[in-house]
Amino acid sequence: MEENEQLNEAKELLDSHLNETIDKELSPADLAQHLKTLKKHDEELFGEYLEKLDPEILGDVAIEMPDHMLKDVIEQIPSDKIIEAIEELESDDAAELLEYIEEIDEQKAKELFDGLDKDDQEEILRIRSYDEGEAGAFMQTELFSAHIDEKLKTAVERLRREKEEGKLENVSQLFITDKKGVLLHAVPLEDLILFDFNQTLREIIAKSEEDKYKPNVAVDNEPIETVVETVENYDMNSIAVVDSKGYLLGRITTDDIHDFIKESATEQIYNLAGVDDEAEEEDTSLVKATRARAIWLLINLFTALISSSIIGLFDETIASYVALAVLMPIVASMGGNTGTQALTVTVRRLTLGEIEFKNAANALKREVGIALINGLTFAFLMGVIASLWFNRPMLGVVIGASMLINLFFAGFFGTLIPLTLKKFDIDPAVGSAVLLTTVTDTVGFFSFLGLAKWILL
């Protein structure tokens, strides 16, 4: 019953969108979600609605689709319609969609690319020439610009015309260049109404405060993380992208920044949990998702064997003093949680670019200090509980001392492991949790059982 309701709702909303009778236009993400519902319940109906999508929206919807649905697009929709849809996209989105298609069918991607006009081909090639972590890979070449000796009236008329033709979207700044294309100034769109439209931009800038319209820029080959930091610090709607000589190449908008932050956060969360972010998509096959997780579980199994071997060294001690078996998991658990806290904070700060290995001393001191303060607090608390619970004061001393030792090492390695992985260009989120668990379990078990054998027996 619920599935039929979902199907009917999806059909109703898609019909309303296609017939333009809906009060609020559906976003590409909404359309993709409703098409996904149709595909789940009725493949034939899904194909019918897919073919009804206008080229103006088809490209935006296709970007939001998972691979198996995008495969349907390139198999069911005529190539000329897909080419038209790609040409409707902004240059960065067009490059992204072609990249997705290439991952599914390289030959089809080549066919579609060859069908684009020369200008679109050049823009896509320029964007795809950058590494995926460089600012240039995230830029779009469509922007509002004018040269310094141009009249403001002429520039605004051009903006009006390009907006009417659908060539420009989300315009927030006028980028002013010299006649060679070197970026000189960036003027917020809202400021333009204050100026005399019959004056040249050079005359307007000359009357303004010095450096008022000095642009914040992203160099095309700098890391996108640096650009994100700049955009956030200055609360910008878009940022100009220039080459090493200052020539204006394009712009990066906030929607691209938000997409990058979202994807990075998702990847970090999945990696910390030891799962593959791509394998965890809802539409990924059960076998593939299971295999992706099994790899990390296998690694965890071997690290667990190491911890168990430590316990095996003290089997006689545990047999002689059964209370140790009851209290032992507490030491490991507290160490694991403390280490995870330090690990999470450190990975976040590394991702935001706040710390590096060479200047991480303060971060290490801070996390170790927090771990020690908590260690002293909870060591005392657990020591008292253990003493009263088993009526053995020295047992309280053992677990208290062990907990202090383990929390110290948890804070230390919870910070050091991701810093070290980052130094060797390894994603600090991948594998950190497994390594940290090994450390905290090993240190926790060894210190607790070792101290017990030394003090109690």
Side-chain angles (χ1 to χ4, degrees):
M1 186 68 178
E2 184 178 347
E3 290 184 355
N4 289 333
E5 290 178 359
Q6 291 176 351
L7 178 60
N8 291 332
E9 181 184 5
K11 287 170 57 180
E12 182 180 342
L13 288 169
L14 286 168
D15 283 331
S16 299
H17 174 83
L18 293 170
N19 297 324
E20 298 183 350
T21 59
I22 194 168
D23 293 333
K24 183 179 179 182
E25 184 178 349
L26 295 174
S27 70
D30 290 333
L31 289 170
Q33 185 60 44
H34 294 314
L35 286 169
K36 185 177 177 181
T37 301
L38 289 187
K39 180 175 173 62
K40 181 179 179 182
H41 300 292
D42 192 328
E43 283 276 355
E44 185 176 343
L45 196 60
F46 163 73
E48 291 177 9
Y49 277 91
L50 190 61
E51 291 174 1
K52 291 179 183 179
L53 287 181
D54 191 277
E56 291 184 4
I57 192 66
L58 176 60
D60 291 308
V61 174
I63 289 178
E64 300 292 336
M65 291 179 173
D67 286 352
H68 75 284
M69 288 177 64
L70 184 56
K71 188 173 185 291
D72 291 330
V73 172
I74 61 181
E75 289 178 352
Q76 297 183 31
I77 303 299
S79 294
D80 57 347
K81 185 175 180 179
I82 300 177
I83 290 169
E84 186 180 350
I86 293 173
E87 290 178 337
E88 289 288 339
L89 294 171
E90 294 173 332
S91 52
D92 58 334
D93 290 333
E96 184 178 12
L97 179 56
L98 268 176
E99 184 178 351
Y100 291 160
I101 294 173
E102 187 176 42
E103 291 172 357
I104 297 170
D105 188 335
E106 191 172 340
Q107 188 59 41
K108 185 69 173 184
K110 185 179 185 306
E111 176 192 335
L112 296 174
F113 177 81
D114 290 341
L116 299 172
D117 64 45
K118 294 299 180 183
D119 289 340
D120 288 327
Q121 288 182 357
E122 289 176 3
E123 289 175 353
I124 290 170
L125 286 174
R126 182 188 302 172
I127 293 170
R128 295 194 63 179
S129 67
Y130 295 97
D131 293 337
E132 63 178 17
E134 293 180 331
F138 292 82
M139 72 175 180
Q140 57 182 232
T141 56
E142 298 86 1
L143 45 75
F144 178 33
S145 67
H147 63 75
I148 188 73
D149 291 313
E150 187 175 2
K151 285 188 176 181
L152 176 58
K153 177 174 65 176
T154 306
V156 171
E157 287 174 352
R158 185 170 62 256
L159 171 63
R160 183 184 298 114
R161 185 171 62 254
E162 292 186 350
K163 285 289 290 182
E164 288 175 351
E165 295 172 357
K167 293 181 179 180
L168 279 179
E169 295 180 7
N170 303 319
V171 178
S172 60
Q173 296 181 86
L174 167 61
F175 298 112
I176 302 174
T177 67
D178 63 16
K179 290 186 177 180
K180 294 182 179 180
V182 175
L183 181 62
L184 302 175
H185 309 282
V187 182
L189 213 60
E190 61 188 23
D191 283 12
L192 297 184
I193 61 174
L194 303 175
F195 305 140
D196 184 344
F197 276 42
N198 291 313
Q199 287 187 326
T200 66
L201 294 169
R202 186 185 297 276
E203 292 171 334
I204 291 170
I205 295 298
K207 294 178 182 179
S208 304
E209 297 177 17
E210 186 177 0
D211 293 338
K212 181 177 181 179
Y213 298 116
K214 181 180 179 181
N216 290 302
V217 300
V219 181
D220 59 344
N221 60 359
E222 74 176 306
I224 185 61
E225 292 84 359
T226 305
V227 181
V228 170
E229 186 176 352
T230 301
V231 170
E232 290 181 334
N233 288 344
Y234 291 93
D235 195 22
M236 303 170 67
N237 292 320
S238 65
I239 185 170
V241 180
V242 301
D243 65 13
S244 58
K245 296 181 180 179
Y247 288 97
L248 180 62
L249 302 177
R251 62 173 180 159
I252 297 175
T253 56
T254 49
D255 62 322
D256 298 310
I257 297 294
H258 291 156
D259 288 344
F260 172 77
I261 292 173
K262 179 181 177 181
E263 290 171 7
S264 298
T266 301
E267 182 181 358
Q268 293 293 335
I269 290 169
Y270 278 137
N271 285 340
L272 278 171
V275 294
D276 187 334
D277 57 326
E278 292 184 4
E280 291 308 312
E281 291 183 2
E282 183 181 344
D283 301 288
T284 302
S285 71
L286 184 64
V287 173
K288 183 178 179 181
T290 302
R291 184 169 59 245
R293 296 194 193 187
I295 293 171
W296 286 103
L297 290 174
L298 180 62
I299 295 172
N300 188 72
L301 175 62
F302 283 110
T303 59
L305 289 172
I306 294 173
S307 301
S308 296
S309 66
I310 297 295
I311 298 174
L313 296 175
F314 297 94
D315 55 352
E316 293 181 1
T317 304
I318 297 173
S320 302
Y321 212 95
V322 179
L324 299 177
V326 177
L327 298 173
M328 189 167 55
I330 298 175
V331 179
S333 176
M334 290 295 292
N337 286 328
T338 300
T340 299
Q341 290 172 347
L343 175 65
T344 303
V345 171
T346 304
V347 168
R348 177 184 177 277
R349 295 186 67 187
L350 283 169
T351 302
L352 296 176
E354 295 179 359
I355 54 172
E356 296 179 11
F357 188 87
K358 60 184 178 182
N359 61 358
N362 289 336
L364 196 60
K365 290 177 183 177
R366 174 181 171 80
E367 292 303 325
V368 170
I370 292 172
L372 277 175
I373 293 171
N374 281 331
L376 287 168
T377 303
F378 290 101
F380 175 77
L381 179 61
M382 193 61 221
V384 172
I385 292 172
S387 298
L388 297 174
W389 188 356
F390 295 99
N391 198 27
R392 287 290 300 269
M394 293 310 296
L395 181 59
V397 173
V398 168
I399 193 171
S402 175
M403 191 172 289
L404 181 60
I405 293 170
N406 201 21
L407 265 62
F408 166 79
F409 279 101
F412 181 81
F413 283 102
T415 309
L416 185 64
I417 288 173
L419 285 168
T420 304
L421 292 177
K422 183 69 172 180
K423 178 178 173 61
F424 290 100
D425 293 324
I426 301 172
D427 187 341
V430 177
S432 290
V434 174
L435 294 174
L436 179 62
T437 300
T438 304
V439 170
T440 55
D441 284 355
T442 302
V443 171
F445 293 146
F446 189 83
S447 61
F448 181 57
L449 296 175
L451 288 171
K453 184 176 181 179
W454 178 45
I455 295 175
L456 299 177
L457 300 181

